[in-house]
Structures are given as structure tokens and as C-alpha cells.
Amino acid sequence: MFYDEKHHKLMIKLVSHIHEIARSLISREIDIAADRMSIVHGLVPDGSKRVVSGQYTKEPASSWHPATLPPSRDAKWPSLVIECADLESITRLRIEAEWWLTQSEGDVRVVVVLIIWPFRSGISLEKWVPDPDGNSGSNDSTTGKAKCVQRIELQCRSKNTASIEVNGGPLRLEFEMVFLRAPNSSRQRDIIVSEEALERIMGLVSDGNI
């Protein structure tokens, strides 16, 4: 959901059951990876917590913030966001990713864009981060203040996991960007959603019986 008070525009994104499956499975992998670090309640799942910023109101598909925040910021903005939709909405999703990164003035550090292909044939994942200097020259950026730094494509050619192709994986979410601090032990490391996990997610998404 996105509301622009100035222009009195309300945009509601219709999310299907299959979007919820993909989003929840990716979210679960993130939570599992965070729990493995033995940081008790270190990453707080905010879900689709609504954020109000000036004239705008926005709800993500999923979001998280670290339990311990730097002194300079509060819990208004998450550090990590997921947005999801169909392939036909990819331009809108990229705009939403940039909104989180720019409207928060960099408090949101990572946005993962999750795109479901037609007929459940594939999934695309894009990892967006702030680009305050606008040096990336990305053609996908509308503001020049954000950039896509990783693209992953999952494709299922038939109804079995052996036919699933993963290109660009694994998904890596840097520890400092998610937890807003440097790691202080060897167990604290980047959150990795492995290629094997991505294959399993693609297999479930492509299953016509779900």
C-alpha cells in the first residue's frame, strides 16, 4: 500500500497467494540465517509495518530492523525491506525500492525486489542499495540515488527441482547493512540465502498444486 496525501492518491498492490508463498519463504531463510548467529532477537521482523514520511504512507511486503539501533536513529525505518509483485510491475517495484532508500535518507540500507514470472515459470530477485553520489549510472534508477547491485534469476523448465536454474546466486545481505554495525564475533557474518535454498523456493512456487 502506498498513499500520497498531497495528490490524494492511494495505490493498493494486489498480492496473490503465490506472492505470499515466495515472500514468506525468502523471509524465513533470512530469519534462519540471522538466528544462526546466536544474536538473541537480534533482527526484529517488522512485517508490513506502515511507515509515514511527510505526505507519504507506505507498507512493505516484509521488513526488519536490528534490535539494537545506533544512537543516531530510531525504529521508524527498517534496515531491510522486501517488495514483491508480478513481472509486469517490475518498473513500479524498482520505483518503490528507490522510494525506501531515498525517502529514508539512507536509513533503509537494502531493498530486495522479488518478481514472479508469468505462469510461475521463474523468479527474479534484485538487491537495491543507496547510491548517494549517483555514480552507478544505472538505467533502472529513476532518481540516480539508488542502484541494483545484484540480480538473481531462478527458472523452472519442468516440474522437478533438477530442472531449476539459478543464475546470480546466492543472495547476500551484508551484515553491516542489515544490523547497522560491524560484526563483533566470528559467528556474525553476512546473511546468505544459498542457491540450494533458492532452488527449493522456486520448486515450491512452480508447484501447480499449491
Side-chain angles (χ1 to χ4, degrees):
M1 187 274 287
F2 182 82
Y3 179 63
D4 182 343
E5 183 179 7
K6 179 179 179 181
H7 298 98
H8 304 289
K9 288 184 177 180
L10 175 64
M11 288 173 279
I12 298 176
K13 186 164 49 182
L14 299 178
V15 178
S16 69
H17 176 56
I18 203 64
H19 290 106
E20 281 298 298
I21 290 174
R23 179 205 57 78
S24 63
L25 291 172
I26 291 285
S27 297
R28 183 189 300 171
E29 291 294 330
I30 291 171
D31 290 334
I32 290 171
D35 287 344
R36 288 196 189 109
M37 299 180 201
S38 298
I39 307 173
V40 179
H41 306 304
L43 196 59
V44 179
D46 288 321
S48 57
K49 174 186 172 184
R50 184 174 298 176
V51 174
V52 178
S53 178
Q55 68 194 36
Y56 302 109
T57 302
K58 183 84 174 75
E59 291 179 357
S62 290
S63 60
W64 295 259
H65 76 269
T68 303
L69 291 163
S72 59
R73 64 170 284 176
D74 57 27
K76 172 182 176 177
W77 294 99
S79 59
L80 171 63
V81 166
I82 292 178
E83 291 285 10
C84 62
D86 290 326
L87 184 60
E88 63 188 19
S89 301
I90 187 170
T91 300
R92 180 69 218 169
L93 281 181
R94 288 169 175 166
I95 291 172
E96 291 181 3
E98 290 193 71
W99 184 91
W100 285 108
L101 298 167
T102 57
Q103 191 71 21
S104 69
E105 297 183 344
D107 278 357
V108 177
R109 303 300 298 157
V110 185
V111 179
V112 176
V113 171
L114 190 160
I115 303 134
I116 306 295
W117 296 8
F119 310 110
R120 305 186 183 191
S121 60
I123 296 173
S124 295
L125 295 166
E126 296 183 353
K127 183 174 77 173
W128 285 75
V129 300
D131 184 23
D133 298 324
N135 294 327
S136 68
S138 172
N139 293 328
D140 297 327
S141 173
T142 58
T143 65
K145 298 298 182 181
K147 59 184 176 181
C148 177
V149 294
Q150 184 179 15
R151 283 191 173 92
I152 301 171
E153 289 195 352
L154 317 175
Q155 188 171 8
C156 186
R157 298 189 181 278
S158 63
K159 300 299 181 182
N160 64 79
T161 55
S163 68
I164 294 173
E165 296 180 3
V166 179
N167 295 303
L171 175 63
R172 178 182 296 272
L173 305 173
E174 290 78 2
F175 184 94
E176 292 89 342
M177 300 187 80
V178 176
F179 288 90
L180 306 179
R181 64 172 176 83
N184 54 29
S185 78
S186 60
R187 298 194 67 171
Q188 297 179 11
R189 58 190 69 184
D190 295 349
I191 291 174
I192 303 292
V193 181
S194 69
E195 291 195 359
E196 291 77 11
L198 293 172
E199 285 181 5
R200 291 194 298 270
I201 292 168
M202 183 67 250
L204 287 169
V205 167
S206 64
D207 185 351
N209 295 318
I210 294 179

